[in-house]
Amino acid sequence: MPNRFGELDRHSLTTVNGPVSARSTRLPFRYSVIRPKPRSDMGSANEWQENPPSILNKRPADDENPTPVESKRRERDGETYNKGSYQTGFTVDDYTVGWVCALPIELAAATSMLDTIHENIAKSPNDSNTYTLGSIHRHNVAIACLPTNGYGTNNAAIVASNMRRTFPSLQTFLLVGIGGGIPGKVDVRLGDIVVSTGVMQYDLGKTVQNGHFQSTGFMRQPSLTLMTAISKLRAQHEFSPSEIPDILSRVREQYPSMRQYTDREQLEDVLFQSDYEHPESIESCKDCDKSRQMRRPSRGSNGPKIHYGIIASGNQVIKHATTRDRLAQEFNTICFEMEAAGLMDSLQCLVVRGICDYSDSHKSKQWQNYASATAAAYAKELLSAIPTTETEATPTNEVVQERRRLLMDSLSFEKIDARHSNIKSAHGKTCAWLLSHPEYIKWLTPAEFSQHHGLLWIYGKPGAGKSTIMKYIYTRALENSGYVISFFFNARGDGLEKSTQGMYRSLLLQLLQKLPDLQEVLDLPGRFWLDHNNDSSWGIDVLQRLFSAAIAKLGGRRLTCFVDALDECGESQVRDMVEYFEQLGQSVLDSEGKLYICFSSRHYPTICIQNGQTLTLEDQPGHSQDLEKYVKSKLRAGKGKDVNLVRTELLQKAAGVFMWVVLVVNILNEEFQRGRIFAVKTRLQETPAELSELFKDILRRDQKNMADLLLSIQWILYAKRPMKPEEFYYAVVAGLDPTKDNLAEWDPEQITEDDMKRFVSSSSKGLAEVTRSNARTVQFIHESVRDFLLKDGGIHELWPDLSTNFENLSHDQLKKCCYEYFQTNTSNRDIDNEELPKPSSGEGKELRQRESRKFPFLEYATQQVLYHANIAAIELPVRSHDRGWTPLLLYL
């Protein structure tokens, strides 16, 4: 079998602790240093900013400047030779592998793996990293190290972001270094290697009742390319041993001063029992109680073993065995570390950790050098399994179009425009005043662009009608010339509906659909390390770069963008998004472009725009006139002498809140319709002026069916996902009256969709509705209803006995609803003796679909009952009847 060390320099690397100078006489490594030719196009820092060496302005190839296709030199047996007449220089576009490490010893181990080392090249002036550049197995690699004493998830994220800013063609990202092992179900030992199949941030969550911590982290996985490379390498190891020992042996021969990285003979691997703490009075573990050591079977070889599994990442060092074991059991992890979560937020990187301790109080640094070298050696061996992409042939037009189509498809997501579809159209001739408002006209006037950079922010109280007016001006803009795109955040929707990632995907997709020539930005190299079939591959940084690239290609074309309800997205995401659009506005101003962006939100006390115009909705005379028009049209007050007084008082109490007016008009109309003209003025005077107080008044005035109201609110607040009307109907019925007849197979002719729609309204006392989008779901009529219940103390006002532990009690109730439903509908079937198809088979899928049509709540009930049970169990004791799960639950 050929030695892979004979095929050096297949990947080029860069490190953040600083490029290793080829001229340094103190360099402890022997390298062939490739010096790039002087570049006439690098220029000054200002020139770099104006013309960054990115995919947008890549140097054209010519006879004197050929496009690099691979590392042009190889090193064999310590001698360097040229393979043909190739260029020896490299640009930032030539590096395809990013390698991040946290400690200097990890950087040293990474550098020792390089087949060749390259000289420094110019980087982005905003990039604070220092790089070591080189190649491994024909891949050009950039290695970056975190700042001294700057480990942790935040610094890792900054380093990775800077690396991508300088090296636009990076496709593969590796995070390589040391970590703490978790002995237990996997026989992890010191010096072994743990490779991530997923990363879980264990310290991300919220503190709930009685100070309990509830994790909200979710699994992040490496990219599909890396996962397939791991599969290939694991297959190789089935019939041929890993080359890690050979790699370490080669390092030992070339760099004698690094023996502490390659030799483990003097190192002792001792694991103590979890409940045995290292005595504070003892400096070394040599004096620890040897009777408390764990006895483990000996291995046939001293070489490191490779383990694959979930890595736990967080911003704290774990030095407590009991805590280690608890977290390992909770998250099913086999290793702890402190940087991966910061990278995985924006990159699908692979995490490789050499085990240097057992995450207990017996920590020491003896194994750190060796562990960092074993991890680096694995990364080098893995790169040999990843094919290089530089030599790919120029794709045909058909291939390009198909790739664009796949990427465009992957930008889309379910309910991408659901919120816009659910917003009711403006009443009558309302909202038209804004089109002639001086501030609105100034925003759209090209001559004024330098004053506001194309930004307009419409503020308003909750329920003032911001979304309605945004839909109106967006619709009117579509009728005019130019190109118009929009996104309406939806806090009541799924994850992408209320995140900036969803916003960027939607805006980019609309832009590329409306202007197909801009789709060429999808062809730019270095942007698509992502897997187009994986939604999570669309990182914020990638989306921002693509959107900026598309805007740069607009030329003289005008683009208007409307983004509604920023307050329905996380504040930190909004702050970053506003900063991005401000920078984009400055770039458009410098390039004399035509980009106009209109935001709307509640009043943000902590976020503002430096350049741009603002407009407060409830302060505008046109908005007051809209309220007056609505009241005059909708209030069925007849022509009595007091009608004008009622209208005037109603508008004064509204204080510009359209939602308040809509609800109160309905209340007063009920009095009119019942002939209680005398009671209208009194009813209006008794009506609270604040929107949250009005919600409370509506819910408390009518005491009928309060159990329906409570369960409806619990389902809308705490369902794992937005529920379909038929799911919601049976979910509530399962908690109110779970008889076999009531939970029997759904007959749409007996219980119609209109019946269910009326049930949603009646059970919530008018505060919930069925959305009008294609994917119909149940939601509150406005986000302010949720605010009233959770933020303004509505739950405590309505159900004081439940308020101290409402969330856990609610999940307990929802768990019971799920259990009642699937228990009722499966108890008459002998599941144990019934032969069921495999869940992954076509027959299994068909069975689930057929059963879901008959029993609409069955899929949710079986899939989410444990979700609700787990959250309920944080505070509530497990009762004996909760243990009787049926086999069908496990199947579905």
Side-chain angles (χ1 to χ4, degrees):
M1 184 172 180
N3 190 327
R4 287 198 179 100
F5 283 94
E7 297 180 8
L8 300 176
D9 102 8
R10 290 179 59 188
H11 294 254
S12 295
L13 296 158
T14 305
T15 69
V16 171
N17 246 13
V20 183
S21 172
R23 300 179 179 87
S24 173
T25 58
R26 298 179 179 271
L27 184 66
F29 314 119
R30 295 199 295 272
Y31 289 110
S32 294
V33 179
I34 301 179
R35 296 182 175 85
K37 290 180 178 179
R39 289 186 54 179
S40 60
D41 60 333
M42 290 309 295
S44 66
N46 289 335
E47 290 173 338
W48 201 102
Q49 287 179 309
E50 294 170 3
N51 301 291
S54 68
I55 55 174
L56 304 181
N57 300 296
K58 190 169 182 178
R59 289 183 299 161
D62 52 44
D63 292 337
E64 294 183 0
N65 179 36
T67 302
V69 294
E70 61 176 359
S71 301
K72 304 304 187 297
R73 289 191 176 186
R74 291 186 175 184
E75 179 188 81
R76 275 189 190 158
D77 301 326
E79 296 181 1
T80 304
Y81 69 95
N82 288 323
K83 181 183 178 182
S85 55
Y86 293 116
Q87 172 198 6
T88 59
F90 295 93
T91 73
V92 291
D93 295 308
D94 295 324
Y95 291 85
T96 59
V97 176
W99 181 318
V100 178
C101 41
L103 301 172
I105 59 171
E106 297 171 355
L107 174 63
T111 309
S112 72
M113 299 297 148
L114 294 174
D115 299 332
T116 59
I117 191 168
H118 305 165
E119 275 199 340
N120 250 354
I121 54 179
K123 62 177 183 177
S124 166
N126 298 319
D127 183 353
S128 59
N129 295 344
T130 306
Y131 294 99
T132 298
L133 306 172
S135 64
I136 297 177
H137 299 307
R138 294 178 59 194
H139 293 265
N140 290 331
V141 186
I143 309 175
C145 183
L146 272 59
T148 300
N149 297 325
Y151 48 80
T153 58
N154 293 336
N155 282 316
I158 293 171
V159 167
S161 178
N162 285 335
M163 179 182 283
R164 294 180 63 185
R165 184 178 295 116
T166 290
F167 300 98
S169 299
L170 294 179
Q171 301 172 2
T172 301
F173 288 87
L174 304 173
L175 177 60
V176 186
I178 58 176
I182 303 175
K185 67 174 185 177
V186 177
D187 184 22
V188 176
R189 303 196 185 185
L190 301 186
D192 284 356
I193 300 147
V194 172
V195 182
S196 68
T197 58
V199 171
M200 173 66 74
Q201 185 171 357
Y202 64 87
D203 59 356
L204 178 65
K206 58 184 178 181
T207 301
V208 294
Q209 287 88 348
N210 296 328
H212 287 278
F213 179 78
Q214 180 180 323
S215 173
T216 58
F218 57 92
M219 187 72 64
R220 296 175 173 88
Q221 294 181 316
S223 68
L224 187 62
T225 299
L226 285 166
M227 294 296 278
T228 55
I230 289 174
S231 296
K232 178 181 177 181
L233 190 59
R234 294 182 72 173
Q236 288 180 198
H237 290 166
E238 288 296 314
F239 55 81
S240 178
S242 169
E243 293 201 2
I244 291 175
D246 293 337
I247 295 173
L248 295 180
S249 177
R250 182 69 175 242
V251 171
R252 185 187 307 114
E253 293 175 5
Q254 290 186 325
Y255 317 120
S257 63
M258 294 189 72
R259 296 191 68 87
Q260 69 271 32
Y261 288 82
T262 60
D263 294 356
R264 56 171 291 166
E265 284 74 14
Q266 303 302 317
L267 302 176
E268 187 177 7
D269 183 0
V270 178
L271 172 63
F272 289 94
Q273 296 170 0
S274 296
D275 59 350
Y276 177 59
E277 296 282 341
H278 182 82
E280 294 183 2
S281 60
I282 298 178
E283 181 176 350
S284 169
C285 284
K286 292 181 179 179
D287 297 322
C288 285
D289 187 353
K290 291 181 172 54
S291 67
R292 304 300 299 273
Q293 293 181 9
M294 297 289 293
R295 295 182 180 179
R296 295 173 291 175
S298 61
R299 288 180 174 177
S301 167
N302 282 335
K305 285 195 173 184
I306 305 168
H307 308 277
Y308 298 89
I310 299 171
I311 291 179
S313 182
N315 277 309
Q316 56 183 324
V317 177
I318 301 296
K319 298 181 63 175
H320 188 253
T322 304
T323 301
R324 172 200 69 195
D325 295 342
R326 176 179 58 81
L327 292 173
Q329 183 175 9
E330 181 177 355
F331 297 106
N332 193 32
T333 58
I334 60 175
C335 174
F336 285 108
E337 62 91 68
M338 297 183 61
E339 287 79 33
L343 268 68
M344 297 297 284
D345 279 338
S346 58
L347 302 175
Q348 287 187 292
C349 71
L350 182 72
V351 185
V352 182
R353 291 303 185 192
I355 301 303
C356 65
D357 58 61
Y358 290 118
S359 302
D360 58 12
S361 59
H362 302 275
K363 274 179 175 284
S364 71
K365 297 184 178 182
Q366 296 177 357
W367 283 84
Q368 288 187 354
N369 297 71
Y370 179 79
S372 63
T374 60
Y378 175 88
K380 177 166 185 168
E381 185 176 16
L382 179 69
L383 288 177
S384 70
I386 300 176
T388 56
T389 59
E390 295 89 345
T391 58
E392 290 181 353
T394 302
T396 64
N397 183 61
E398 291 77 9
V399 171
V400 169
Q401 294 301 322
E402 176 64 11
R403 183 169 58 190
R404 290 180 183 177
R405 185 190 66 78
L406 290 172
L407 290 168
M408 293 277 285
D409 288 346
S410 70
L411 282 171
S412 183
F413 56 90
E414 188 180 8
K415 302 179 184 178
I416 192 170
D417 60 351
R419 175 58 182 152
H420 171 263
S421 302
N422 289 324
I423 298 172
K424 295 179 180 179
S425 298
H427 171 74
K429 296 182 179 180
T430 61
C431 300
W433 59 270
L434 183 56
L435 300 180
S436 57
H437 193 283
E439 293 296 318
Y440 191 81
I441 294 174
K442 181 180 178 181
W443 171 56
L444 294 175
T445 302
E448 302 287 345
F449 193 93
S450 61
Q451 302 300 314
H452 52 64
H453 294 194
L455 297 175
L456 171 65
W457 198 324
I458 299 176
Y459 293 101
K461 296 178 180 178
K466 301 179 295 296
S467 295
T468 300
I469 203 166
M470 285 290 283
K471 181 173 182 176
Y472 176 84
I473 57 179
Y474 165 65
T475 305
R476 297 287 82 79
L478 288 173
E479 299 171 357
N480 299 325
S481 58
Y483 302 93
V484 184
I485 58 178
S486 70
F487 186 76
F488 291 73
F489 283 105
N490 182 16
R492 290 156 283 172
D494 294 330
L496 288 173
E497 294 182 76
K498 51 188 175 184
S499 70
T500 54
Q501 184 190 39
M503 179 205 69
Y504 287 122
R505 285 171 61 168
S506 176
L507 295 180
L508 180 61
L509 177 62
Q510 295 173 67
L511 178 57
L512 299 184
Q513 287 174 336
K514 292 177 182 289
L515 294 167
D517 62 291
L518 299 185
Q519 293 179 21
E520 66 183 32
V521 300
L522 300 177
D523 307 331
L524 299 173
R527 291 293 187 257
F528 296 109
W529 46 271
L530 76 162
D531 306 309
H532 55 70
N533 290 321
N534 188 340
D535 282 350
S536 62
S537 297
W538 288 109
I540 298 295
D541 186 55
V542 171
L543 291 165
Q544 287 179 341
R545 291 187 181 193
L546 284 173
F547 193 77
S548 297
I551 296 301
K553 292 179 176 293
L554 278 175
R557 293 171 290 190
R558 180 190 188 117
L559 178 67
T560 308
C561 175
F562 296 91
V563 181
D564 176 56
L566 271 63
D567 50 277
E568 298 193 23
C569 176
E571 185 171 330
S572 61
Q573 293 186 49
V574 171
R575 182 177 288 105
D576 293 340
M577 180 263 288
V578 171
E579 180 180 347
Y580 165 73
F581 277 120
E582 284 192 298
Q583 294 173 351
L584 187 60
Q586 180 64 53
S587 298
V588 171
L589 174 65
D590 295 340
S591 62
E592 299 182 354
K594 299 177 181 179
L595 173 64
Y596 299 85
I597 302 171
C598 178
F599 299 135
S600 79
S601 75
R602 300 180 186 182
H603 297 279
Y604 258 118
T606 58
I607 303 178
C608 59
I609 46 178
Q610 297 179 354
N611 297 294
Q613 297 173 225
T614 61
L615 188 151
T616 301
L617 190 57
E618 57 266 21
D619 293 343
Q620 306 307 313
H623 182 65
S624 299
Q625 293 167 10
D626 283 350
L627 291 169
E628 188 175 347
K629 292 176 185 177
Y630 181 86
V631 171
K632 185 174 291 187
S633 171
K634 292 292 185 178
L635 186 63
R636 310 301 182 189
K639 299 182 180 180
K641 61 179 181 179
D642 293 333
V643 170
N644 287 335
L645 292 176
V646 171
R647 289 172 177 164
T648 301
E649 183 177 353
L650 191 154
L651 290 170
Q652 288 177 346
K653 293 189 73 171
V657 180
F658 225 114
M659 174 63 66
W660 188 94
V661 170
V662 172
L663 293 173
V664 173
V665 164
N666 289 336
I667 292 172
L668 298 183
N669 280 342
E670 289 182 6
E671 299 289 354
F672 281 118
Q673 290 168 5
R674 291 156 56 190
R676 295 172 53 85
I677 308 301
F678 64 91
V680 171
K681 291 179 63 177
T682 302
R683 185 73 173 89
L684 179 58
Q685 291 171 357
E686 294 175 348
T687 300
E690 293 295 326
L691 190 58
S692 61
E693 291 297 315
L694 176 60
F695 290 143
K696 181 171 66 176
D697 183 69
I698 292 172
L699 296 177
R700 296 185 70 176
R701 185 172 291 269
D702 177 10
Q703 291 295 314
K704 296 179 181 178
N705 301 324
M706 290 299 287
D708 297 34
L709 174 64
L710 173 60
L711 193 51
S712 297
I713 286 176
Q714 289 173 320
W715 272 116
I716 298 174
L717 284 176
Y718 298 118
K720 183 70 179 339
R721 56 166 174 76
M723 303 182 75
K724 303 172 185 176
E726 57 269 27
E727 289 179 319
F728 177 83
Y729 175 84
Y730 281 104
V732 175
V733 171
L736 296 177
D737 192 10
T739 65
K740 287 188 177 181
D741 288 340
N742 288 341
L743 301 183
E745 181 177 337
W746 177 34
D747 182 356
E749 295 184 359
Q750 180 181 357
I751 305 175
T752 67
E753 293 183 357
D754 287 339
D755 292 333
M756 292 180 172
K757 188 174 181 180
R758 287 193 295 272
F759 178 75
V760 169
S761 180
S762 64
S763 64
S764 65
K765 299 189 183 297
L767 296 187
E769 64 182 359
V770 177
T771 61
R772 292 184 294 277
S773 60
N774 292 332
R776 299 182 314 133
T777 57
V778 176
Q779 65 177 24
F780 289 123
I781 58 174
H782 194 267
E783 185 62 16
S784 54
V785 178
R786 185 187 300 269
D787 291 344
F788 156 67
L789 293 169
L790 298 180
K791 297 180 181 179
D792 300 335
I795 295 296
H796 177 74
E797 293 284 347
L798 296 168
W799 297 283
D801 295 340
L802 303 178
S803 60
T804 56
N805 201 17
F806 185 74
E807 182 175 355
N808 299 100
L809 289 170
S810 296
H811 280 287
D812 190 56
Q813 179 60 46
L814 304 189
K815 172 201 68 179
K816 294 176 183 177
C817 294
C818 293
Y819 183 74
E820 286 289 350
Y821 188 82
F822 71 70
Q823 180 70 10
T824 300
N825 286 296
T826 61
S827 59
N828 62 340
R829 295 175 58 183
D830 189 0
I831 301 299
D832 288 330
N833 297 323
E834 182 177 343
E835 185 175 349
L836 297 172
K838 292 182 178 180
S840 59
S841 66
E843 294 82 357
K845 181 178 180 181
E846 183 180 349
L847 172 61
R848 288 193 296 274
Q849 293 175 344
R850 184 171 63 250
E851 294 298 311
S852 293
R853 287 191 293 268
K854 294 179 182 179
F855 305 101
F857 184 48
L858 185 59
E859 179 182 356
Y860 183 98
T862 53
Q863 291 183 356
Q864 307 303 340
V865 61
L866 295 182
Y867 164 76
H868 295 298
N870 285 338
I871 298 180
I874 294 175
E875 290 291 339
L876 305 177
V878 177
R879 290 168 288 273
S880 60
H881 69 267
D882 293 335
R883 306 180 190 276
W885 312 113
T886 69
L888 185 62
L889 168 64
L890 300 177
Y891 172 75
L892 294 173

